[in-house]
Amino acid sequence: MSAPDQEYRLPNGGPSIALLPKVSLHDHLDGGVRPETLVELADEVGLALPAADAPSLAAWIEARCDSGSLVSYLEPFDLTVGVMQTESGLRRIAHEFVLDLAADGVIHGEIRWAPEQHTRSGLSIDQAVEAVQAGLDDGVADLAERGHVITIGQILSALRTEGRSLEIAELALRHRERGVVAFDLAGAENGFPAAAHSEAFDLLAREFFPVTVHAGEADGLDSIKGALLDGRALRLGHGVRLAEDVSVLERDGDNTTVGLGPVASWVRDREVALELSPSSNLQTGAIAQWGTELYDHPFDVLYQLGFRVTVNTDNRLMSGTSLSRELALLAQAFDYDLADLERFQLSAAASAFLPLEDRDILADRIVDGFERA
Ligand SMILES: [Zn+2]
């Protein structure tokens, strides 16, 4: 099993990828709980686990998530969400999340989660957001004491299958000056169109509040259109099935001429970031039409065509991964070098839900870090 601090390098060696400055845009709070913490908190709240100790629990979770079924992939979330119902549970998990990102070399992280899933023990959605923010602040403060500068934003997800998106949009707006940087739509994509949440999206647009939408993962181009048109999404959560709008027109030796449909053209030309998550995309079947190996992922085609691709973990616990590991896997599959890895980080920095001057600072830190590597 892979630990976040394990050493990952490019196929031809070079610096440890964990030491390079990185930006994480698509990282679920309930998908990045430490196995040890899950065991301890489950014991406190009396939640039964399928394994008694952290290593066997982590192995069980990875096996569920690697079984090729979305239903199995989602099962371990019942466990993590189950221990994230109290102020102390949320605060601890958010705190540790920041420390784990920093240990992997992340200098800016945007952490998403769905407050509506965390009220079973009586917390209000506002209290839940405050508990998570307190934990994030704890992490940032701990790291500052050690001289490690990291910035963190919360992204609040509403669930496609529920009717609470307007409430979550209002929640995000209430906390926009206190750590919440964007709104996200998540959950079962197929059959639950973004248009059903237009009241929330209209409010967010009127308030000029940034939106990202999970789209093009379990459903195709229509869902991506919905994210862009109804959601006014500035980024796409995965968006991998946008590749359905890219067609090969002609192959002549090494030269391939491709055509972009209108959706793909819009996303590329307007530089709408794709929050791609290689391991997760394989595990949830998002790239099934192209194959079953990382090499089959449209990531490289999209990158070579000039799309703003970013690399993400989605769920570090479920996929047993880290941002460094995802980058190492991509480098192996597509023969990327340090310049490619730097490009992905600069793209993520450019698409972060931060003011322009803060994005420029991130870009400078990335260039410096890669230069010194
Ligand atoms: Zn996601």
Side-chain angles (χ1 to χ4, degrees), residues 80-87 89-90 117-123:
T80 55
V81 171
V83 301
M84 296 167 72
Q85 301 297 329
T86 61
E87 196 201 323
L90 285 168
Q117 291 185 305
H118 300 269
T119 57
R120 278 183 228 154
S121 302
L123 284 182

Side-chain angles (χ1 to χ4, degrees), residues 26 28 214 238 314:
H26 192 126
H28 289 264
H214 277 79
H238 308 296
D314 206 14

Side-chain angles (χ1 to χ4, degrees), residues 305-323:
L305 289 172
F307 286 85
R308 188 177 279 187
V309 296
T310 68
V311 182
N312 300 279
T313 53
D314 206 14
N315 299 294
R316 288 181 286 109
L317 170 66
M318 282 64 183
S319 298
T321 200
S322 64
L323 193 46

Side-chain angles (χ1 to χ4, degrees), residues 74-240:
L74 295 175
E75 251 178 71
F77 287 95
D78 289 339
L79 305 178
T80 55
V81 171
V83 301
M84 296 167 72
Q85 301 297 329
T86 61
E87 196 201 323
S88 59
L90 285 168
R91 183 167 182 165
R92 173 174 172 181
I93 285 165
H95 182 174
E96 293 173 349
F97 201 105
V98 176
L99 301 183
D100 292 347
L101 289 186
D104 192 36
V106 171
I107 58 169
H108 175 71
E110 295 181 1
I111 301 174
R112 66 186 71 200
W113 62 292
E116 63 194 89
Q117 291 185 305
H118 300 269
T119 57
R120 278 183 228 154
S121 302
L123 284 182
S124 69
I125 49 177
D126 285 273
Q127 285 169 329
V129 171
E130 281 156 20
V132 168
Q133 191 58 44
L136 299 177
D137 292 343
D138 291 343
V140 172
D142 271 4
L143 291 163
E145 272 179 33
R146 292 185 238 152
H148 185 115
V149 178
I150 188 168
T151 49
I152 299 286
Q154 285 196 57
I155 298 179
L156 300 189
S157 303
L159 299 177
R160 282 178 181 268
T161 48
E162 307 298 321
R164 298 185 67 177
S165 51
L166 179 59
E167 209 185 324
I168 302 304
E170 289 166 345
L171 176 72
L173 291 169
R174 276 201 296 285
H175 293 267
R176 75 187 297 180
E177 304 302 332
R178 287 174 290 159
V180 176
V181 297
F183 173 91
D184 167 48
L185 192 61
E189 189 181 348
N190 212 335
F192 298 95
H197 305 277
S198 56
E199 250 190 296
F201 289 128
D202 291 349
L203 170 68
L204 295 163
R206 282 198 302 277
E207 298 292 337
F208 295 102
F209 194 73
V211 169
T212 176
V213 172
H214 277 79
E217 182 187 20
D219 202 359
L221 282 181
D222 279 343
S223 176
I224 294 176
K225 280 186 202 168
L228 297 167
L229 298 175
D230 299 299
R232 287 83 141 188
L234 299 172
R235 306 196 314 225
L236 293 170
H238 308 296
V240 59

